[in-house]
Amino acid sequence: MSPFTPQSSYIRLPTSTPSPTPTLISSPESSRSNSPSPFLLKGSPIVLTTMSSNKRFRFTSIRPIQGFLILSILAIITIPFIHYHRENVNDYFKSQYVSYDLSQKHIPIASGGLEKHLNIPINLESRLHYLLSRPALFQWEAELQNRHSCPFYTFSRNTYFFHDDKPEKWEKITPNEIRRYRSKIVDYLRSVEREGGKLVWDKSMESNVPEADRKGIILTGGEGKTLARMKISLHMLRNVLHSTLPIEVYHFPDELQDPIEREKLETEFDVRLKEVGGKSSDGKSWHIKNSAFLASNFTEFIYMDSDNIPLVDPRTLFDSIEYKQSGSVFWADLNKDHPDNAIFRILGRTCTDDHWPAESGQLLFDKRANNGLNLAILHLSNHMMINPDMYGFLSYGDKDTFRYSFYALGLPYQQAPKIFATTGGYQTQNGESSLDFCGHSMIQWGLTPQSAKHDPTYHPPPAFLHTILAKHRQNLQPSKLFSHLKRPRKDGISEPLLVRTLYEFTGDCFALTLKGPDGAPEAENSMMDNQGVDTYQLKDVLGNGHIWNELEKLSEVFVKINANN
């Protein structure tokens, strides 16, 4: 049977009176081979005739519909090129032609804010009013939605040590308690204003600050091993990475009282020593971070824990795509949220697996962001930190309170694009050689430079080595201290396959466990998703250059610090 061929519809073109002058357009009496056909397909874009003398072509007529088709074709051809470089086109014709660029799929978008359709203005009064207006629910009323969004069968969230014995306490938070929590938030912020503090950043706050001092690095600590480890970080910053950013070191009044030590820090590392009060008697003085952030004249800053060794010049991170999206970047921790945590009912939102809890050994922050409300975020986090009776069983220190504050005001923040790698070596926590890898530190990867905006294959280099467990170990072998790292093969922060590569705190190490067989095509019983856990020598990842060479030397220093009681 012959295939069905639809009939083409034809129209006869009207003929015009020939020009009385020597024509450029051929006349109807011209040779049939030189005349346009009197029959053309409907929608034919142009009608062409030939010049009788030199055979050049010329349009005889373009109808409106034909002109529209021509413009449409040109638009289809050119718009993708305009879109690819749309940042150079003024407001992209005042439209949102494409909402997501596949060439930027490797860059997570800022999240955590309110849905745009709610039309809540980005000002403090509107955001607080919205928080107060949210439903106050019992645990059983919010349970289904929260457990659906943050299911127990993913990420081992029910085995995280901080969650032990907490669900019973969370369940006791009643709607009346929720309303009390929210009122306390508003009362605290009002008290800051009454005492002359500012909740919203404005340009007057840096009017007397030299431009060179508006962006810098903040560290905290000032005694014993904490100070010794901080000197390693300062050495890397000044002598290896050659960072020229100003550095402020915040400490409590009973720390750094030796004038010789103070002078050495100031001259050798060019730092400014700043004193803040409020030292906690239980040794957990995490709130010093909030105090430092609020006291600092830096409008933009990067914070680092004293046990965090920088591997790149922090200045480069301020130019990253992630930071410029929202004015803040937080790096992920190893666990996920528990869906029953009452904090989600208090903040009037649902638990989400879109976010990882922050690991605040390093963070990047701009007080100006979110219409100046990032400053209110710092105040609100401070409120949570100085009220451990209220928030101590809802958060694990400052690493959670920053994120909860963004949730409370419905403001977006940014996650670093890659999950961390666990770093250590083949030795036990007591320094004995072992065939098993033990990761006691975190490699936190860098951010995405503008040059890699459209490069989905880009993977940032290591930016920080956070020695979070290593600082508590003694008798470790320096040569195996930071010899290897393990990381998920697919480690994007929003990668769904991270559910197969679980980080767990074993008490001795950060264990990275692959659930199911390797996903590489050549692997036995392959899952064929290419997910897996890979192990690398750290010197290869760092490029076996001067950064690695210096880190090898500092391993000896690090081990000696831990050996001193």
Side-chain angles (χ1 to χ4, degrees):
M1 180 180 294
S2 301
F4 171 74
T5 303
Q7 293 184 348
S8 299
S9 178
Y10 296 87
I11 60 171
R12 182 179 295 276
L13 295 176
T15 57
S16 58
T17 304
S19 172
T21 59
T23 62
L24 295 175
I25 305 175
S26 59
S27 68
E29 290 79 21
S30 300
S31 168
R32 192 176 185 87
S33 62
N34 292 333
S35 302
S37 171
F39 297 98
L40 292 177
L41 283 171
K42 280 185 177 179
S44 178
I46 57 176
V47 178
L48 298 174
T49 60
T50 60
M51 299 178 66
S52 57
S53 59
N54 56 14
K55 307 297 183 182
R56 289 186 298 172
F57 292 102
R58 178 173 176 174
F59 299 141
T60 58
S61 64
I62 299 179
R63 296 185 175 187
I65 185 64
Q66 295 167 343
F68 174 76
L69 289 173
I70 292 173
L71 292 175
S72 299
I73 292 170
L74 290 174
I76 291 172
I77 294 172
T78 58
I79 280 179
F81 296 99
I82 296 173
H83 167 62
Y84 191 76
H85 299 287
R86 66 185 185 278
E87 61 269 25
N88 299 322
V89 180
N90 185 25
D91 291 334
Y92 197 51
F93 303 118
K94 302 295 184 181
S95 69
Q96 294 180 346
Y97 175 71
V98 177
S99 60
Y100 192 64
D101 186 345
L102 292 180
S103 69
Q104 299 179 45
K105 190 176 180 181
H106 59 300
I107 303 172
I109 60 173
S111 56
L114 299 179
E115 297 290 338
K116 289 185 177 180
H117 73 270
L118 295 173
N119 294 320
I120 309 297
I122 307 179
N123 61 63
L124 188 58
E125 294 302 323
S126 297
R127 295 305 168 116
L128 291 177
H129 181 270
Y130 182 77
L131 174 64
L132 294 174
S133 69
R134 300 297 295 146
L137 305 176
F138 285 101
Q139 168 66 24
W140 62 268
E141 293 177 293
E143 182 178 88
L144 181 61
Q145 188 172 1
N146 282 327
R147 291 190 179 188
H148 176 75
S149 300
C150 297
F152 282 122
Y153 59 83
T154 60
F155 298 110
S156 302
R157 69 186 80 242
N158 208 24
T159 60
Y160 180 50
F161 71 91
F162 170 71
H163 296 157
D164 293 345
D165 303 321
K166 299 297 192 307
E168 296 83 2
K169 298 178 181 178
W170 295 334
E171 188 173 0
K172 294 178 181 178
I173 300 293
T174 65
N176 284 337
E177 280 290 288
I178 289 173
R179 284 186 279 268
R180 184 178 73 89
Y181 269 89
R182 295 174 184 173
S183 295
K184 289 286 187 181
I185 287 175
V186 177
D187 290 345
Y188 176 78
L189 295 178
R190 295 288 180 255
S191 70
V192 170
E193 288 184 316
R194 286 194 300 269
E195 293 171 5
K198 285 193 173 184
L199 298 173
V200 182
W201 188 92
D202 62 67
K203 289 187 70 67
S204 68
M205 299 182 69
E206 63 179 15
S207 59
N208 297 321
V209 180
E211 187 171 351
D213 290 338
R214 297 175 185 176
K215 180 185 295 184
I217 302 170
I218 296 177
L219 294 97
T220 56
E223 62 180 354
K225 294 181 181 180
T226 297
L227 179 59
R229 283 189 286 265
M230 185 192 299
K231 290 180 181 178
I232 292 178
S233 299
L234 291 171
H235 168 71
M236 287 292 290
L237 286 168
R238 292 302 196 214
N239 303 326
V240 181
L241 302 171
H242 306 294
S243 178
T244 58
L245 286 171
I247 300 176
E248 294 180 343
V249 175
Y250 286 80
H251 62 92
F252 290 119
D254 62 340
E255 300 172 344
L256 277 176
Q257 295 304 304
D258 183 351
I260 298 177
E261 186 67 68
R262 293 177 66 89
E263 182 180 1
K264 184 178 179 180
L265 286 171
E266 291 171 338
T267 56
E268 184 176 346
F269 300 116
D270 187 23
V271 303
R272 304 164 190 171
L273 302 178
K274 306 278 187 174
E275 185 179 295
V276 292
K279 188 173 185 178
S280 176
S281 58
D282 62 4
K284 295 291 186 182
S285 297
W286 293 322
H287 63 276
I288 191 175
K289 299 181 186 181
N290 303 77
S291 300
F293 301 163
L294 290 168
S296 176
N297 284 330
F298 294 150
T299 299
E300 303 175 79
F301 62 85
I302 185 161
Y303 169 78
M304 293 172 47
D305 273 352
S306 59
D307 60 343
N308 203 338
I309 303 174
L311 302 174
V312 299
D313 182 358
R315 184 184 290 276
T316 62
L317 303 177
F318 288 107
D319 296 324
S320 66
I321 295 173
E322 289 84 3
Y323 176 66
K324 290 183 179 298
Q325 278 185 348
S326 69
S328 62
V329 179
F330 292 84
W331 279 258
D333 206 351
L334 78 162
N335 64 292
K336 280 277 193 173
D337 285 315
H338 195 294
D340 293 345
N341 193 334
I343 193 64
F344 298 109
R345 292 188 287 129
I346 292 170
L347 302 180
R349 60 176 294 132
T350 302
C351 182
T352 175
D353 259 357
D354 292 342
H355 300 157
W356 287 81
E359 186 272 298
S360 60
Q362 61 285 306
L363 60 92
L364 201 58
F365 204 85
D366 185 351
K367 297 176 183 178
R368 303 169 301 181
N370 286 312
N371 279 5
L373 291 185
N374 267 18
L375 181 57
I377 294 295
L378 298 181
H379 283 289
L380 186 47
S381 175
N382 193 53
H383 162 65
M384 295 180 184
M385 287 300 300
I386 63 178
N387 286 284
D389 57 321
M390 294 179 64
Y391 290 94
F393 67 102
L394 299 170
S395 64
Y396 189 59
D398 57 285
K399 79 183 196 70
D400 287 329
T401 60
F402 295 117
R403 186 169 54 106
Y404 292 170
S405 298
F406 277 103
Y407 290 165
L409 298 183
L411 298 173
Y413 68 95
Q414 183 60 284
Q415 299 182 103
K418 304 295 180 181
I419 194 73
F420 73 92
T422 177
T423 310
Y426 288 86
Q427 61 179 321
T428 67
Q429 65 169 332
N430 297 318
E432 300 172 358
S433 296
S434 172
L435 296 177
D436 296 322
F437 174 82
C438 180
H440 48 59
S441 301
M442 292 175 164
I443 283 285
Q444 293 287 12
W445 306 96
L447 306 178
T448 310
Q450 296 293 327
S451 60
K453 184 173 184 178
H454 300 289
D455 182 7
T457 65
Y458 178 79
H459 194 291
F464 301 98
L465 174 57
H466 192 185
T467 61
I468 192 166
L469 295 181
K471 66 183 179 183
H472 299 299
R473 306 289 183 254
Q474 294 183 358
N475 304 317
L476 295 177
Q477 301 177 50
S479 62
K480 296 181 179 181
L481 186 64
F482 306 124
S483 62
H484 292 76
L485 68 80
K486 295 182 74 172
R487 57 174 281 257
R489 190 172 302 138
K490 291 187 174 183
D491 60 352
I493 198 66
S494 302
E495 171 59 59
L497 291 176
L498 287 181
V499 296
R500 293 223 295 121
T501 51
L502 302 182
Y503 284 96
E504 298 174 293
F505 174 57
T506 66
D508 297 335
C509 316
F510 291 129
L512 178 54
T513 306
L514 175 65
K515 297 293 185 180
D518 195 293
E522 67 276 8
E524 184 178 1
N525 299 320
S526 174
M527 295 283 286
M528 300 303 292
D529 59 6
N530 205 39
Q531 183 61 304
V533 174
D534 293 328
T535 303
Y536 300 92
Q537 292 191 63
L538 185 54
K539 69 177 181 180
D540 293 335
V541 178
L542 290 174
N544 197 20
H546 73 286
I547 303 295
W548 167 251
N549 293 334
E550 195 64 35
L551 193 59
E552 275 193 306
K553 299 175 186 176
L554 292 176
S555 296
E556 298 275 356
V557 178
F558 190 94
V559 169
K560 288 180 180 178
I561 292 172
N562 284 11
N564 296 328
N565 294 322

